[in-house]
Amino acid sequence: MSADDSGPAFSDPGATPPHTWQGEHHHEGPWPVFAVLEERVERYVRHGLIGEGGMGQVFAARDRRLRRQVALKVAARPEHAARLANEAWITAQLEHPGVVAVYDAGETDGQTWYTMRLIRGRTLHERVVECRDLGERLALLPHVTAACQAVAYAHAMGIIHRDLKPANIMVGEFGETQVADWGLARPVDERRDDWVRIISPTSAATPLDTPPPSTTAAGTPRYMSPEQARGERATAASDVYCLGAALFELLSGEAPPDAPGQGPDLSRVPADVPVDLLAIARHALAPRPEDRYPSAVELAADLERWQAGGRVRAHDYRPGELLQRLLRAWKAPLAVAAVALLIVAAVAGVAATRTAAERAVAEANYAEALGQQARSALLDGRLLEARVMAAHVLDLGPSVVARGVIAATGLSSAERLRSAALPASCVHAAEVSPDGQRIACMGDQQVEVRSVTDLSLLWSQDLPALDRPAWLGQSLAVPTDGGVVWVSQQGVDPFLADRFSALAGSMGVFLLQGSAVAWAQPGQAPVRFSVCGTSRAAVAPVGDSLVVGCSDGVLRRYSTAGVELAAIDLGGKLNWSRIQARGDELLVGRLDGAVQTLDLRTGAQSPPLSGLVGSVRSLLPVPDSSLVLVRGERGGPRIWNTAVNAWVGSLPAGASALAAGPAPREVLMLGERVEVWRLPTSMSPVVRHFGAGVAQVTISHDGDELGVALGSGEVVRQRVDDGRELARARLSEGVVKAVAYTADGGLAAA
């Protein structure tokens, strides 16, 4: 499609300075919150049609000013303008990785439009249709879970989608999941001032919560909840039903029947669908809203538990099912064990004619096979499973492989001190104070501060928080619907009218909203400034300065007055997801799951260390050590030793946030529970130098000695614990190729 056929379009962006405006005026069209600025240059060039619905059309488009591809959605007919404007405004409020980002909005030649991120990928429905069997469909389950998490965020913001279905869940080319099409979204509480009305093109006030005509129900019939089909008001439980219908489609491979409110026939799912996963779908699809998960938060949590191998709350397990879960979780090692036990049983059956040496061979084969299973589990990142299997091998006898697996898991010195269930107000919405003593929780219309030690309530204030707070001493900077406020035991003090997210510095807080930043301290007016010439990739406070990784590939450091203190050109677009300062060093987590360090003085970077599934979600430096806890999209936090740039251990899965603990070397893992772990003083590999090339290393049967063959023709015996040399002998002028300990503790070499 040519530019002449498009609505909002652009000429050459170089013709006029990109930030020159004719002026600002208030538009009397459908936009409730937008002030439309007329630009001297045309901006968007519309390309081909990529999607069409009942309300609007979506085109691929070129943003000439920012030189990027976007998706341009325009109202199909003038009477749809108000709904399209409402959809753009709603989607723009939901700043979540699982919700399509809105870039721009307006009206051109009477046509209402908005632009958003162009998702390169396919819908979940298309991906499910392509699957050949249940196994391939279950591989898509993380996308359903991610959609539940995005909807859970919307529910926490007081918004319900009302039209969730696989066709509105986009799966990107790089595994990202985003929930789209918020045109039918509505607030849970229609009394909120900013939701009560929208303005139609004729300036006539229309209630936002006006129900659809009685002849139709809002939503897609085959995915619609029974109460929506009856024309009743939708709730968060209605969205849960729609997500349950999407889960049914993934499990069965077919869409629900095209009958509003009838519900899918769960008997049509394959017989080999796990019963506890089917129970999740059944609970989400309960006909009565009060019998379902109350919101998408609980549904997402049950799906996460199932994928992590835990018990789901929707299913009442019988003893036989618990045994099946054990067999499924340990299928590979138990299969090896079963084969080995059959071998041992056969040996026992012919014990009269077989020798003890043959029985020993069978057990050795079993130990070797189980050792290789442990090694494979280690390489796959299944550290707990690897450790259990390696322990079984060592019970059977000495094994260098099993000892190596035990050492590599690094769990022997990480100790869980205590664990407790978090109150509902703290689950997935808690922020730990810098001293590790208090937890701020976002309750229902209330901010609560609790003790980390026993989770007792210290104080609370009535306040509807919108986002995580930032601690500053005994006070909290809390983003709310009406702006940012200081909250303490003494009361609430508003100080900024705009919506910002908060990030704690050492003497104040940084408030962030895109490229806009405000520096705030109690009792003083905020200092506003802007960062980056383009959008930012990641941000972190360093003392009372702000380090920002900008999308143009430049790392910039700003003072609290907004003065740019330093800039390091790192070349190319940054693929960072999280950064964290530690002294003059920046810890970097990347979108591809790798981590690395960056020197803030020189810009020198360490080689990327891969190993996480998905992007890095959080980085927690362990005080007074070179250890860093790193959390990815799935699995437990891994322990990164920056001194040697290596993974040296892991902690169990289940955490949605990490924080420093109340004592040295203690860390907090927060999810549905709070767990306090103590990490060792050092988890560094031991490095030994021998002065010549090492041809082979072996460990004595008792594990106390190290035998080393050197390229200098020497053989060395060393203590494992302290490296003290026990013996050194020259065997030849050439290379000693191999060493092995004999049964009586001697060392043979060749």
Side-chain angles (χ1 to χ4, degrees), residues 52-343:
E52 188 168 10
M55 185 178 66
Q57 298 173 312
V58 182
F59 296 87
R62 171 75 173 173
D63 182 344
R64 286 186 169 180
R65 172 167 298 166
L66 299 180
R67 302 179 183 179
R68 63 179 176 182
Q69 292 294 114
V70 299
L72 171 69
K73 188 166 186 177
V74 299
R77 293 189 295 272
E79 57 267 28
H80 293 153
R83 279 182 58 191
L84 188 76
N86 185 52
E87 176 182 348
W89 184 73
I90 290 173
T91 310
Q93 311 311 303
L94 302 177
E95 298 184 15
H96 187 275
V99 179
V100 180
V102 172
Y103 294 148
D104 194 7
E107 181 180 302
T108 303
D109 297 331
Q111 187 174 43
T112 303
W113 56 270
Y114 74 89
T115 59
M116 54 188 162
R117 178 189 173 193
L118 178 62
I119 306 173
R120 294 175 173 84
R122 289 168 292 172
T123 67
L124 180 63
H125 173 74
E126 294 170 329
R127 294 289 299 270
V128 169
V129 168
E130 293 175 353
C131 293
R132 294 168 294 184
D133 54 31
L134 176 63
E136 291 187 0
R137 294 198 301 275
L138 286 180
L140 299 174
L141 186 61
H143 297 295
V144 176
T145 306
C148 291
Q149 291 166 337
V151 176
Y153 171 78
H155 288 174
M157 294 287 288
I159 300 171
I160 52 176
H161 189 288
R162 301 204 305 166
D163 193 21
L164 292 164
K165 54 188 175 182
N168 284 343
I169 300 173
M170 303 298 300
V171 179
E173 294 177 352
F174 301 100
E176 65 269 32
T177 307
Q178 293 197 309
V179 178
D181 199 352
W182 294 79
L184 295 180
R186 289 295 183 269
V188 175
D189 182 5
E190 69 276 6
R191 294 170 298 178
R192 285 175 47 180
D193 292 342
D194 54 345
W195 285 91
V196 171
R197 295 176 182 277
I198 57 174
I199 306 303
S200 70
T202 60
S203 298
T206 304
L208 186 61
D209 59 342
T210 299
S214 58
T215 55
T216 61
T220 302
R222 69 173 71 243
Y223 301 97
M224 189 181 297
S225 67
E227 62 270 20
Q228 287 178 275
R230 294 191 297 267
E232 299 172 6
R233 185 180 304 280
T235 65
S238 306
D239 278 355
V240 168
Y241 185 95
C242 299
L243 291 167
L247 178 59
F248 165 82
E249 183 168 322
L250 184 142
L251 296 178
S252 65
E254 61 184 45
D258 194 9
Q262 178 175 320
D265 182 2
L266 290 173
S267 65
R268 297 183 63 86
V269 302
D272 54 345
V273 170
V275 291
D276 41 2
L277 184 57
L278 183 60
I280 295 176
R282 182 176 288 109
H283 190 36
L285 289 167
R288 300 194 311 164
E290 58 269 26
D291 294 335
R292 301 176 204 143
Y293 295 99
S295 74
V297 174
E298 293 81 4
L299 173 57
D302 242 3
L303 287 172
E304 287 178 327
R305 277 190 287 270
W306 187 88
Q307 291 172 90
R311 300 187 193 182
V312 304
R313 295 184 174 178
H315 185 58
D316 186 13
Y317 292 91
R318 298 188 296 272
E321 292 172 342
L322 293 175
L323 178 60
Q324 289 178 358
R325 286 177 56 79
L326 176 64
L327 294 174
R328 182 168 62 246
W330 294 88
K331 181 178 179 181
L334 288 177
V336 174
V339 172
L341 288 174
L342 287 175
I343 295 173

Side-chain angles (χ1 to χ4, degrees), residues 453-649:
T453 304
D454 57 7
L455 298 179
S456 60
L457 181 64
L458 301 177
W459 56 269
S460 66
Q461 294 286 357
D462 293 334
L463 187 71
L466 287 183
D467 202 352
R468 289 181 180 273
W471 281 94
L472 186 64
Q474 299 294 320
S475 300
L476 292 161
V478 181
T480 70
D481 189 45
V484 188
V485 299
W486 291 114
V487 180
S488 66
Q489 191 169 1
Q490 286 69 42
V492 177
D493 180 19
F495 69 94
L496 193 65
D498 301 321
R499 290 185 180 179
F500 282 79
S501 59
L503 197 62
S506 60
M507 299 295 291
V509 295
F510 290 100
L511 304 169
L512 311 172
Q513 186 187 70
S515 60
V517 177
W519 165 254
Q521 293 176 297
Q524 299 184 22
V527 179
R528 295 173 179 260
F529 56 93
S530 296
V531 297
C532 295
T534 60
S535 61
R536 54 184 172 86
V539 60
V542 179
D544 282 327
S545 64
L546 191 68
V547 170
V548 186
C550 302
S551 296
D552 59 2
V554 178
L555 180 70
R556 295 180 171 91
R557 188 169 184 173
Y558 296 89
S559 70
T560 57
V563 177
E564 185 175 307
L565 304 175
I568 302 174
D569 190 349
L570 301 175
K573 186 176 180 180
L574 300 180
N575 64 342
W576 295 353
S577 57
R578 289 289 186 275
I579 58 176
Q580 178 70 44
R582 185 177 65 180
D584 290 324
E585 188 176 52
L586 199 65
L587 306 172
V588 177
R590 308 197 325 178
L591 294 171
D592 57 6
V595 292
Q596 61 187 137
T597 59
L598 184 145
D599 192 313
L600 289 172
R601 296 163 299 183
T602 64
Q605 302 180 66
S606 68
L609 175 64
S610 301
L612 265 65
V613 178
S615 62
V616 175
R617 291 291 181 88
S618 59
L619 298 156
L620 175 65
V622 179
D624 302 321
S625 76
S626 59
L627 304 181
V628 180
L629 277 186
V630 186
R631 186 173 65 90
E633 292 181 354
R634 295 198 299 276
R638 299 195 70 178
I639 304 173
W640 171 31
N641 189 333
T642 58
V644 293
N645 198 29
W647 300 113
V648 293

